[in-house]
Amino acid sequence: MATKPSLSVERLSRHFPVTTRRWFKTTTAVVKAVDGISFTVGEGETLALVGESGCGKTTTARLILALDRPTSGVIMLGDTNVHDVTGDDYRRYREQVQAVFQDPWSSLNPRMRVREIVSEPLVVNRKRSRREIGERVAEVLAAVGLNPSHADRFPHEFSGGQRQRIALASALSSDPKLIILDEPVSSLDVSIRAQTMNLFRDLQQQFNVSYLLIVHDLAVARYMSDEVAVMYLGKIVEQARTEALFHDPLHPYTKALFAAALPGHPDVQREEIILEGEVPSPIDPPAGCPFHPRCPLKIGEICETVVPQFRPEREGHWVACHLYPEETSAPGAAEA
Amino acid sequence: MLRYLTKRVGQTIFTLFAVTLIVFSLGRLTGDPATVLMPVEARQEDRARIMQHWGLDQPLHIQYVRYIGNVLRGEFGESLQWPGRDALELVLLRIGNTLELGLAALLFAVAVAVPIGVFSAVYKNSFIDHAGKFIALLGQSLPHFWIGIVFIWIFAVNLRWLPTSGRGTWAHLIMPAVVIGWFQVAALMRLIRSAMLEALDSEYIKLARLKGVRERVVIWKHALRNAAIVPLTYFGIMIAYLVVGSITTEVVFSWPGVGLLVVNAVTARDFPVVQAVTIVFAFVIVLANLIVDVLYGVLDPRIRFE
Amino acid sequence: MPDASVSAVDGAPTGAAAWWRRVRELPLLPIAIILVVLVIPAIFAESLAPHNPYSGNLRARLQPPAFLGGPSEFWLGTDHQGRDMLSRIIFGSRIAIAVAGAGILIGGFIGTALGLMAGYFRGVTETVVTRLVDVTLSIPAILVALVVAAAIGARFSAVVAIVALVLWAVYARQVRAESLKWAQSDFVARARVAGASHFRIIVRHILPNIANTLIVLSTLQVGFVIVFEGSLSFLGVGIPRPNPAWGLMVADGRIHVVSAWWIAFFPGLAIMLTVLSFNMLGDWLRDRLDPKLTQV
Amino acid sequence: MPTTAAVQPHSRDRDPPAEVILDVKDLRTYLFTKRALVKAVDGVSFYLRRGETLGIVGESGSGKSITALSLLRMEPKPAGRIVAGEVWFQGEDLLRKSPAEMRRIRGRRISMILQDPQTSLNPVFTIGNQLTEAFTTARQGISRARLPQVVVEVLRKVNIADPERRVSTYPHQLSGGMKQRVVGAIAISCSPDIVIADEPTTSLDLTIQAQYLRLIRQLQETSGVGIIFITHDFGIVAKMCDRVAVMYAGKIVEHGPVRAIFNHPSHPYTQALIHSVPKLEERTERLYSIPGQPPAPGEALVGCRFAKRCEFADDRCRQEYPPVFAGRSGHQEHTADCWRLEDPTWRPSLR
């Protein structure tokens, strides 16, 4: 929020209908995988979406990548609404938003040479000559620390860390504004993670690209991102600049996540907050605050009935929790 | 489970309709179904009667509705080869013999394939595994009709151990059942082997061993119980193959079953009998598939408690 | 997954030695049998066959093979019409190749196309294709062949059509399962993010990854088609007489099994050797190219 | 370990002295694959005291899981074979036991929790069934009539709500966290002396992981079981373990009490790993990035396994495997295999 936004998401929702038949009675329920979230990714910055499995972070990524259509809400990249564009505008969008996925073993086509993999975003959008494409491939391969001779090899000749570099080279080739990093290091060996994360950070500066980082590891989020949004059951419950959030988490769920995270040293003493139970099913989410059944700091009935509003508790530090009531005015009750 | 069952029953009905549709359209391929459904020397009044029975003067969709009606009532018309005999009656008269042969073949296949499949998975790359692979390869490469004749030449003509053909004592059953069953041994054995290998490689088998469970129990209880579900899906296709096998094999051994009946009927251009056989066979196969699916649902708790 | 950072290409020796090593790894016996029994006779039938396969000498009926004391001009003996068995078997290879080739090409093409679409687009396409596959596979094709033969008689084109009818379902089922798997892979998601069209994704991303499956499947299907065509011809609902189809020859020999076993034996042996070789070749290919392909 | 060892860990005990219940000496498990001989576990020695938690940390392919399986003679067949070593447990060498004797030890005296709860329960048997089997196989002398009650009790011990109802459910009806609790219940069912936990929380969500780790702690406090924790995560070690052994390419390269290792990591690999993991508690300006890749399985290894990626390596490191030296913390149990430790004043400082 400090710099001008590169991507902005407003009240984005993705609901999946679920039909269950029992004894010829059909009931239709709705899974609110993503439920009215809003955020922006600043230019050249990294926003981390943090949460446990099933919180909606991956669905959000798919919506932004236009692999799926939202139920409602808008995703704006610059002035274009992602899900409205067609033809040349659509192609331009495809050039400007790229992705690196979690599993380096399945994210590269085993039947394609590295050259074809890296140049694919350029080839399909047919705007450059073959020579330009060749130069660009050499350029991005060099940027990720691979040498030009690697371009003629197949993915199986590379290790996991190298494959993640190839995926990043491919993402960078069309000079995008935004790259979605979906758990980019979680399937890599521990000794490879640091070099990969450092590379991602270095290239962000070099190419002036924004990252949307989907991640479950809080320490990775702290190291990689400028801003962090914490998701729970399809909603963002807290969002702030990284250092502000890690210094003083406000939402009880964020606090519990921090408490649950593994320490960096045996002498680290933390408040013991262990949430009971598991994340409720998104088919039938709890009324009121979605976190109230597990919340150790529940303040009363209001948590069970009223959906807390997502609002700034401090400058740039937003939270959705009844512990932080609005001091004044702001009529119009909580919105879903 | 209920949802699973209704779905399967629905699919069964759909398949049966598809079969009738195929037979119906094939009967009208030549343009004039009357010539297919009647002997060449048919008299004018017979002609009229048949036209009326199948509604041949009506538009096609009406014909099909009438056709379905006739099929549902089991009226396939009169045999052309044996005038005066109802086609379905001829089929039902002989279906017992075919089922007898099919069952014997099935038992043979299961009795041979399950132990070989299990042992070749447990003792992978051992002698028994290689022997099993060879049997499987051979079984899938030998044409039934030919191996039947070779068997007759060896065991009946030269060695005189078994009767050449026909039905009667259990000795008559041996050769045709083995001939039909052999092909199934091959397929079933490979399936059980790969399902067992997969099961034996799983984490839950590792856990069972970590619990200190005996190897015998690990194999025959934990692994086979899981592995048995996989080949079960193949049983439906297997029954279809048994039918195919029974047709050629019945011809080779002059086994008085439906297969022999239908081949003779084809030679005699006895279309009513051919279509009765086809639909009865399709019914048997589809029903067997349904039973297998139900069994599958019962054996696999992941489906039972869907 | 293993960390395969070492290049497979770097270490491999090149030149004649490597070429020879690769040849030696091939399953030479099945390939040789296929060449000797099927391919060479089919190409050079006119020059290889010592006699006319269609007309025989009735005075030379049921002659035993030359090596069993028959006339030296009939290496494998003669049938009930005095036709030379060897010549008929040689010409029969053409029928086997024609039926297998045409059936696999037609059925394979249709099945692959539908399977790819079903696996990639999902939704209604998938439901329709899988339903049709299930129906096709649950009706034994031999029954369809019987009905067709009863309606219009035995014909070459009908045999090819029926083979294609079975095979499309086999291909569609396997291809759908495979393309479903690949369509969900991250590299397809990346291609879509890059802006690749559906056509490009199917042709450039999915098809190359199932090519091995198609090769293995097709090899294994050759054996099936030859046995299947043989069964139809044996029953008199496949290739019409007097064509020298192997299955027909076995059928001719059935009634003479007591007096002239060679009439049924040699054509059946030709079928067995061909099919066995293709199955061995298919198994070999499966181990090399596609170990995960289960029972076909 | 090589004979030039500077420290004899087995001869000394910490205060108060606790009984060593498992003593592994020079264990070697090789994988004889078609393509290569993989020395997955290449001369590993460690010990476990009653009631303590030992962490074995390493990356994938370091040999940590095969080490754990080898203790129970469950090395992956047919490629894997234990070629040398001793595993002393209650005065007996497990590597000399017959298969039948081993079976009586597995599950009863030493049990194991596997990594993936999704696949480690048999899908066609109920939870109750699989737990009952654990009791009956171990022949605990529990009467048939009392079995259901015992099963419910052990489920209650692992904090499964409504255990009476849960016994008749199948694995697929439970969440991942619940399944892992059931696996845990099977592991503790016969009150073993040692539980080996092979990355039991890697597939669990953060808050579920916290619940599970707390459960393990509680069970250990009440039963006094010794735990060997196999993990790739130093965070787990920091949270759960008393001592830690760091594995790299089939060898234990450093060993010692947790605080000694965290405060004075002595092997460059340990040092690099600790500095390459981002911290939650403080802002990290830049992580240390370890160059290169871990050795591929089957790669011929001479000298120190880490030499290729090590900033401090010299020619001797590349040619000769170092002996065991005392670690920099000065703690008597702290050891590391690194030539640099020859100079007791040496202080590794990573660039």
Side-chain angles (χ1 to χ4, degrees), chain C residues 263-295:
Chain C
I263 305 181
F265 184 77
F266 289 113
L269 192 67
I271 297 181
M272 192 199 90
L273 286 175
T274 315
V275 172
L276 193 64
S277 308
F278 271 105
N279 285 346
M280 281 167 76
L281 189 63
D283 280 353
W284 182 84
L285 284 170
R286 167 165 42 202
D287 290 348
R288 287 300 147 111
L289 300 177
D290 193 359
K292 282 189 208 90
L293 186 69
T294 47
Q295 204 61 42

mmCIF file of all heavy atoms in Angstrom, chain C residues 263-295:
data_model
loop_
_atom_site.group_PDB
_atom_site.id
_atom_site.type_symbol
_atom_site.label_atom_id
_atom_site.label_comp_id
_atom_site.label_asym_id
_atom_site.label_seq_id
_atom_site.Cartn_x
_atom_site.Cartn_y
_atom_site.Cartn_z
ATOM 1 N N ILE C 263 -3.952 -78.903 -41.802
ATOM 2 C CA ILE C 263 -4.770 -77.825 -42.375
ATOM 3 C C ILE C 263 -5.112 -76.795 -41.299
ATOM 4 O O ILE C 263 -5.056 -75.588 -41.509
ATOM 5 C CB ILE C 263 -6.062 -78.376 -43.006
ATOM 6 C CG1 ILE C 263 -5.714 -79.446 -44.027
ATOM 7 C CG2 ILE C 263 -6.860 -77.245 -43.647
ATOM 8 C CD1 ILE C 263 -6.936 -80.017 -44.717
ATOM 9 N N ALA C 264 -5.471 -77.274 -40.108
ATOM 10 C CA ALA C 264 -5.786 -76.343 -39.030
ATOM 11 C C ALA C 264 -4.525 -75.863 -38.328
ATOM 12 O O ALA C 264 -4.457 -74.733 -37.855
ATOM 13 C CB ALA C 264 -6.721 -77.009 -38.019
ATOM 14 N N PHE C 265 -3.523 -76.736 -38.283
ATOM 15 C CA PHE C 265 -2.377 -76.452 -37.432
ATOM 16 C C PHE C 265 -1.531 -75.270 -37.904
ATOM 17 O O PHE C 265 -1.268 -74.344 -37.144
ATOM 18 C CB PHE C 265 -1.498 -77.693 -37.301
ATOM 19 C CG PHE C 265 -0.339 -77.506 -36.369
ATOM 20 C CD1 PHE C 265 -0.528 -77.532 -35.000
ATOM 21 C CD2 PHE C 265 0.944 -77.266 -36.864
ATOM 22 C CE1 PHE C 265 0.521 -77.340 -34.138
ATOM 23 C CE2 PHE C 265 1.999 -77.065 -35.995
ATOM 24 C CZ PHE C 265 1.787 -77.115 -34.631
ATOM 25 N N PHE C 266 -1.125 -75.284 -39.213
ATOM 26 C CA PHE C 266 -0.161 -74.271 -39.649
ATOM 27 C C PHE C 266 -0.709 -72.844 -39.666
ATOM 28 O O PHE C 266 -0.024 -71.926 -39.212
ATOM 29 C CB PHE C 266 0.458 -74.676 -40.991
ATOM 30 C CG PHE C 266 1.393 -75.848 -40.837
ATOM 31 C CD1 PHE C 266 1.092 -77.076 -41.407
ATOM 32 C CD2 PHE C 266 2.542 -75.725 -40.086
ATOM 33 C CE1 PHE C 266 1.946 -78.156 -41.236
ATOM 34 C CE2 PHE C 266 3.400 -76.811 -39.919
ATOM 35 C CZ PHE C 266 3.106 -78.040 -40.488
ATOM 36 N N PRO C 267 -1.936 -72.631 -40.167
ATOM 37 C CA PRO C 267 -2.448 -71.243 -40.084
ATOM 38 C C PRO C 267 -2.564 -70.762 -38.636
ATOM 39 O O PRO C 267 -2.249 -69.610 -38.325
ATOM 40 C CB PRO C 267 -3.828 -71.319 -40.729
ATOM 41 C CG PRO C 267 -3.915 -72.637 -41.390
ATOM 42 C CD PRO C 267 -2.869 -73.530 -40.824
ATOM 43 N N GLY C 268 -3.004 -71.677 -37.745
ATOM 44 C CA GLY C 268 -3.110 -71.314 -36.332
ATOM 45 C C GLY C 268 -1.748 -70.980 -35.753
ATOM 46 O O GLY C 268 -1.598 -70.036 -34.963
ATOM 47 N N LEU C 269 -0.728 -71.749 -36.171
ATOM 48 C CA LEU C 269 0.630 -71.490 -35.712
ATOM 49 C C LEU C 269 1.079 -70.102 -36.169
ATOM 50 O O LEU C 269 1.726 -69.360 -35.418
ATOM 51 C CB LEU C 269 1.573 -72.560 -36.272
ATOM 52 C CG LEU C 269 2.972 -72.596 -35.668
ATOM 53 C CD1 LEU C 269 2.911 -73.025 -34.215
ATOM 54 C CD2 LEU C 269 3.872 -73.534 -36.465
ATOM 55 N N ALA C 270 0.712 -69.747 -37.418
ATOM 56 C CA ALA C 270 1.061 -68.418 -37.925
ATOM 57 C C ALA C 270 0.429 -67.340 -37.052
ATOM 58 O O ALA C 270 1.077 -66.355 -36.672
ATOM 59 C CB ALA C 270 0.609 -68.255 -39.371
ATOM 60 N N ILE C 271 -0.840 -67.537 -36.717
ATOM 61 C CA ILE C 271 -1.514 -66.569 -35.837
ATOM 62 C C ILE C 271 -0.779 -66.486 -34.508
ATOM 63 O O ILE C 271 -0.430 -65.415 -34.019
ATOM 64 C CB ILE C 271 -2.983 -66.978 -35.584
ATOM 65 C CG1 ILE C 271 -3.778 -66.962 -36.885
ATOM 66 C CG2 ILE C 271 -3.622 -66.035 -34.562
ATOM 67 C CD1 ILE C 271 -5.238 -67.334 -36.703
ATOM 68 N N MET C 272 -0.514 -67.666 -33.916
ATOM 69 C CA MET C 272 0.085 -67.690 -32.590
ATOM 70 C C MET C 272 1.442 -66.995 -32.580
ATOM 71 O O MET C 272 1.726 -66.169 -31.720
ATOM 72 C CB MET C 272 0.227 -69.122 -32.108
ATOM 73 C CG MET C 272 0.562 -69.202 -30.646
ATOM 74 S SD MET C 272 1.238 -70.772 -30.187
ATOM 75 C CE MET C 272 2.963 -70.470 -30.430
ATOM 76 N N LEU C 273 2.286 -67.334 -33.575
ATOM 77 C CA LEU C 273 3.629 -66.745 -33.602
ATOM 78 C C LEU C 273 3.558 -65.228 -33.757
ATOM 79 O O LEU C 273 4.266 -64.485 -33.070
ATOM 80 C CB LEU C 273 4.440 -67.350 -34.758
ATOM 81 C CG LEU C 273 4.909 -68.788 -34.531
ATOM 82 C CD1 LEU C 273 5.602 -69.323 -35.774
ATOM 83 C CD2 LEU C 273 5.853 -68.855 -33.332
ATOM 84 N N THR C 274 2.689 -64.774 -34.659
ATOM 85 C CA THR C 274 2.563 -63.336 -34.870
ATOM 86 C C THR C 274 2.104 -62.637 -33.595
ATOM 87 O O THR C 274 2.691 -61.646 -33.145
ATOM 88 C CB THR C 274 1.537 -63.050 -35.977
ATOM 89 O OG1 THR C 274 1.788 -63.938 -37.051
ATOM 90 C CG2 THR C 274 1.624 -61.633 -36.449
ATOM 91 N N VAL C 275 1.043 -63.191 -33.015
ATOM 92 C CA VAL C 275 0.451 -62.550 -31.842
ATOM 93 C C VAL C 275 1.427 -62.577 -30.664
ATOM 94 O O VAL C 275 1.620 -61.578 -29.977
ATOM 95 C CB VAL C 275 -0.881 -63.248 -31.492
ATOM 96 C CG1 VAL C 275 -1.418 -62.726 -30.181
ATOM 97 C CG2 VAL C 275 -1.875 -63.033 -32.602
ATOM 98 N N LEU C 276 2.055 -63.723 -30.476
ATOM 99 C CA LEU C 276 3.028 -63.859 -29.391
ATOM 100 C C LEU C 276 4.132 -62.820 -29.554
ATOM 101 O O LEU C 276 4.525 -62.140 -28.605
ATOM 102 C CB LEU C 276 3.615 -65.278 -29.416
ATOM 103 C CG LEU C 276 4.402 -65.723 -28.199
ATOM 104 C CD1 LEU C 276 3.506 -65.791 -26.981
ATOM 105 C CD2 LEU C 276 5.025 -67.093 -28.447
ATOM 106 N N SER C 277 4.599 -62.660 -30.788
ATOM 107 C CA SER C 277 5.681 -61.704 -31.027
ATOM 108 C C SER C 277 5.236 -60.284 -30.730
ATOM 109 O O SER C 277 5.979 -59.505 -30.115
ATOM 110 C CB SER C 277 6.160 -61.785 -32.471
ATOM 111 O OG SER C 277 6.451 -63.111 -32.789
ATOM 112 N N PHE C 278 4.035 -59.941 -31.198
ATOM 113 C CA PHE C 278 3.566 -58.578 -30.932
ATOM 114 C C PHE C 278 3.366 -58.358 -29.437
ATOM 115 O O PHE C 278 3.663 -57.276 -28.924
ATOM 116 C CB PHE C 278 2.277 -58.277 -31.706
ATOM 117 C CG PHE C 278 2.547 -57.722 -33.067
ATOM 118 C CD1 PHE C 278 2.382 -58.509 -34.196
ATOM 119 C CD2 PHE C 278 2.988 -56.418 -33.232
ATOM 120 C CE1 PHE C 278 2.657 -58.006 -35.458
ATOM 121 C CE2 PHE C 278 3.256 -55.911 -34.480
ATOM 122 C CZ PHE C 278 3.094 -56.710 -35.609
ATOM 123 N N ASN C 279 2.863 -59.362 -28.734
ATOM 124 C CA ASN C 279 2.683 -59.198 -27.301
ATOM 125 C C ASN C 279 4.022 -59.064 -26.583
ATOM 126 O O ASN C 279 4.166 -58.266 -25.662
ATOM 127 C CB ASN C 279 1.880 -60.367 -26.714
ATOM 128 C CG ASN C 279 0.404 -60.248 -27.061
ATOM 129 O OD1 ASN C 279 -0.051 -59.192 -27.502
ATOM 130 N ND2 ASN C 279 -0.342 -61.318 -26.886
ATOM 131 N N MET C 280 5.012 -59.853 -27.037
ATOM 132 C CA MET C 280 6.337 -59.737 -26.426
ATOM 133 C C MET C 280 6.924 -58.357 -26.694
ATOM 134 O O MET C 280 7.477 -57.710 -25.812
ATOM 135 C CB MET C 280 7.276 -60.828 -26.964
ATOM 136 C CG MET C 280 7.048 -62.183 -26.320
ATOM 137 S SD MET C 280 7.872 -63.521 -27.199
ATOM 138 C CE MET C 280 9.546 -63.267 -26.699
ATOM 139 N N LEU C 281 6.778 -57.922 -27.934
ATOM 140 C CA LEU C 281 7.274 -56.599 -28.313
ATOM 141 C C LEU C 281 6.568 -55.518 -27.496
ATOM 142 O O LEU C 281 7.189 -54.574 -26.993
ATOM 143 C CB LEU C 281 7.030 -56.382 -29.807
ATOM 144 C CG LEU C 281 7.664 -55.157 -30.440
ATOM 145 C CD1 LEU C 281 9.179 -55.251 -30.364
ATOM 146 C CD2 LEU C 281 7.226 -55.029 -31.893
ATOM 147 N N GLY C 282 5.255 -55.690 -27.349
ATOM 148 C CA GLY C 282 4.472 -54.717 -26.586
ATOM 149 C C GLY C 282 4.905 -54.679 -25.131
ATOM 150 O O GLY C 282 5.062 -53.605 -24.550
ATOM 151 N N ASP C 283 5.121 -55.876 -24.540
ATOM 152 C CA ASP C 283 5.576 -55.924 -23.151
ATOM 153 C C ASP C 283 6.930 -55.244 -23.008
ATOM 154 O O ASP C 283 7.187 -54.516 -22.056
ATOM 155 C CB ASP C 283 5.687 -57.380 -22.681
ATOM 156 C CG ASP C 283 4.333 -57.940 -22.307
ATOM 157 O OD1 ASP C 283 3.355 -57.155 -22.299
ATOM 158 O OD2 ASP C 283 4.232 -59.144 -22.040
ATOM 159 N N TRP C 284 7.791 -55.514 -23.987
ATOM 160 C CA TRP C 284 9.130 -54.912 -23.955
ATOM 161 C C TRP C 284 9.015 -53.391 -24.032
ATOM 162 O O TRP C 284 9.635 -52.660 -23.271
ATOM 163 C CB TRP C 284 9.948 -55.454 -25.128
ATOM 164 C CG TRP C 284 11.346 -54.940 -25.157
ATOM 165 C CD1 TRP C 284 12.416 -55.427 -24.462
ATOM 166 C CD2 TRP C 284 11.833 -53.836 -25.925
ATOM 167 N NE1 TRP C 284 13.536 -54.692 -24.749
ATOM 168 C CE2 TRP C 284 13.224 -53.713 -25.641
ATOM 169 C CE3 TRP C 284 11.266 -52.948 -26.812
ATOM 170 C CZ2 TRP C 284 14.017 -52.738 -26.215
ATOM 171 C CZ3 TRP C 284 12.054 -51.969 -27.394
ATOM 172 C CH2 TRP C 284 13.418 -51.860 -27.095
ATOM 173 N N LEU C 285 8.183 -52.932 -24.959
ATOM 174 C CA LEU C 285 7.992 -51.487 -25.101
ATOM 175 C C LEU C 285 7.391 -50.886 -23.839
ATOM 176 O O LEU C 285 7.759 -49.802 -23.406
ATOM 177 C CB LEU C 285 7.077 -51.189 -26.291
ATOM 178 C CG LEU C 285 7.696 -51.316 -27.673
ATOM 179 C CD1 LEU C 285 6.613 -51.243 -28.743
ATOM 180 C CD2 LEU C 285 8.707 -50.204 -27.890
ATOM 181 N N ARG C 286 6.436 -51.634 -23.249
ATOM 182 C CA ARG C 286 5.810 -51.112 -22.044
ATOM 183 C C ARG C 286 6.841 -50.930 -20.943
ATOM 184 O O ARG C 286 6.876 -49.913 -20.272
ATOM 185 C CB ARG C 286 4.714 -52.070 -21.577
ATOM 186 C CG ARG C 286 4.243 -51.761 -20.165
ATOM 187 C CD ARG C 286 2.955 -52.412 -19.787
ATOM 188 N NE ARG C 286 2.848 -53.776 -20.219
ATOM 189 C CZ ARG C 286 1.699 -54.396 -20.372
ATOM 190 N NH1 ARG C 286 0.580 -53.766 -20.141
ATOM 191 N NH2 ARG C 286 1.660 -55.648 -20.748
ATOM 192 N N ASP C 287 7.704 -51.933 -20.774
ATOM 193 C CA ASP C 287 8.729 -51.812 -19.740
ATOM 194 C C ASP C 287 9.637 -50.624 -20.013
ATOM 195 O O ASP C 287 10.098 -49.948 -19.109
ATOM 196 C CB ASP C 287 9.564 -53.092 -19.672
ATOM 197 C CG ASP C 287 8.755 -54.244 -19.117
ATOM 198 O OD1 ASP C 287 7.657 -53.981 -18.591
ATOM 199 O OD2 ASP C 287 9.199 -55.407 -19.220
ATOM 200 N N ARG C 288 9.944 -50.405 -21.301
ATOM 201 C CA ARG C 288 10.853 -49.320 -21.644
ATOM 202 C C ARG C 288 10.179 -47.960 -21.564
ATOM 203 O O ARG C 288 10.732 -46.997 -21.068
ATOM 204 C CB ARG C 288 11.349 -49.480 -23.095
ATOM 205 C CG ARG C 288 12.326 -50.565 -23.305
ATOM 206 C CD ARG C 288 13.563 -50.328 -22.468
ATOM 207 N NE ARG C 288 14.109 -51.605 -22.057
ATOM 208 C CZ ARG C 288 15.246 -52.082 -22.502
ATOM 209 N NH1 ARG C 288 15.959 -51.388 -23.333
ATOM 210 N NH2 ARG C 288 15.673 -53.250 -22.094
ATOM 211 N N LEU C 289 8.995 -47.868 -22.176
ATOM 212 C CA LEU C 289 8.403 -46.560 -22.421
ATOM 213 C C LEU C 289 7.388 -46.158 -21.373
ATOM 214 O O LEU C 289 7.216 -44.986 -21.086
ATOM 215 C CB LEU C 289 7.705 -46.544 -23.792
ATOM 216 C CG LEU C 289 8.588 -46.834 -25.000
ATOM 217 C CD1 LEU C 289 7.740 -46.860 -26.258
ATOM 218 C CD2 LEU C 289 9.653 -45.759 -25.124
ATOM 219 N N ASP C 290 6.669 -47.114 -20.834
ATOM 220 C CA ASP C 290 5.506 -46.731 -20.058
ATOM 221 C C ASP C 290 5.228 -47.757 -18.979
ATOM 222 O O ASP C 290 4.255 -48.487 -19.043
ATOM 223 C CB ASP C 290 4.305 -46.623 -21.013
ATOM 224 C CG ASP C 290 3.151 -45.920 -20.340
ATOM 225 O OD1 ASP C 290 3.302 -45.557 -19.169
ATOM 226 O OD2 ASP C 290 2.118 -45.765 -20.986
ATOM 227 N N PRO C 291 6.094 -47.803 -17.982
ATOM 228 C CA PRO C 291 5.926 -48.857 -16.974
ATOM 229 C C PRO C 291 4.622 -48.739 -16.206
ATOM 230 O O PRO C 291 4.183 -49.695 -15.598
ATOM 231 C CB PRO C 291 7.116 -48.644 -16.041
ATOM 232 C CG PRO C 291 7.936 -47.572 -16.627
ATOM 233 C CD PRO C 291 7.162 -46.890 -17.703
ATOM 234 N N LYS C 292 4.007 -47.578 -16.230
ATOM 235 C CA LYS C 292 2.816 -47.415 -15.407
ATOM 236 C C LYS C 292 1.553 -47.880 -16.109
ATOM 237 O O LYS C 292 0.520 -48.036 -15.487
ATOM 238 C CB LYS C 292 2.659 -45.954 -14.978
ATOM 239 C CG LYS C 292 3.578 -45.606 -13.837
ATOM 240 C CD LYS C 292 3.263 -44.231 -13.296
ATOM 241 C CE LYS C 292 4.486 -43.595 -12.704
ATOM 242 N NZ LYS C 292 5.240 -42.825 -13.694
ATOM 243 N N LEU C 293 1.650 -48.102 -17.424
ATOM 244 C CA LEU C 293 0.471 -48.548 -18.152
ATOM 245 C C LEU C 293 0.074 -49.916 -17.616
ATOM 246 O O LEU C 293 0.820 -50.871 -17.707
ATOM 247 C CB LEU C 293 0.775 -48.637 -19.642
ATOM 248 C CG LEU C 293 -0.395 -48.961 -20.543
ATOM 249 C CD1 LEU C 293 -1.372 -47.814 -20.587
ATOM 250 C CD2 LEU C 293 0.074 -49.287 -21.939
ATOM 251 N N THR C 294 -1.108 -50.000 -17.068
ATOM 252 C CA THR C 294 -1.531 -51.276 -16.490
ATOM 253 C C THR C 294 -2.179 -52.138 -17.558
ATOM 254 O O THR C 294 -1.997 -51.920 -18.740
ATOM 255 C CB THR C 294 -2.518 -51.051 -15.341
ATOM 256 O OG1 THR C 294 -3.488 -50.123 -15.791
ATOM 257 C CG2 THR C 294 -1.796 -50.545 -14.124
ATOM 258 N N GLN C 295 -2.920 -53.100 -17.096
ATOM 259 C CA GLN C 295 -3.535 -54.054 -18.021
ATOM 260 C C GLN C 295 -4.287 -53.351 -19.140
ATOM 261 O O GLN C 295 -5.068 -52.456 -18.904
ATOM 262 C CB GLN C 295 -4.525 -54.915 -17.234
ATOM 263 C CG GLN C 295 -4.769 -56.221 -17.874
ATOM 264 C CD GLN C 295 -3.491 -57.013 -17.973
ATOM 265 O OE1 GLN C 295 -2.714 -57.041 -17.055
ATOM 266 N NE2 GLN C 295 -3.284 -57.655 -19.098
#
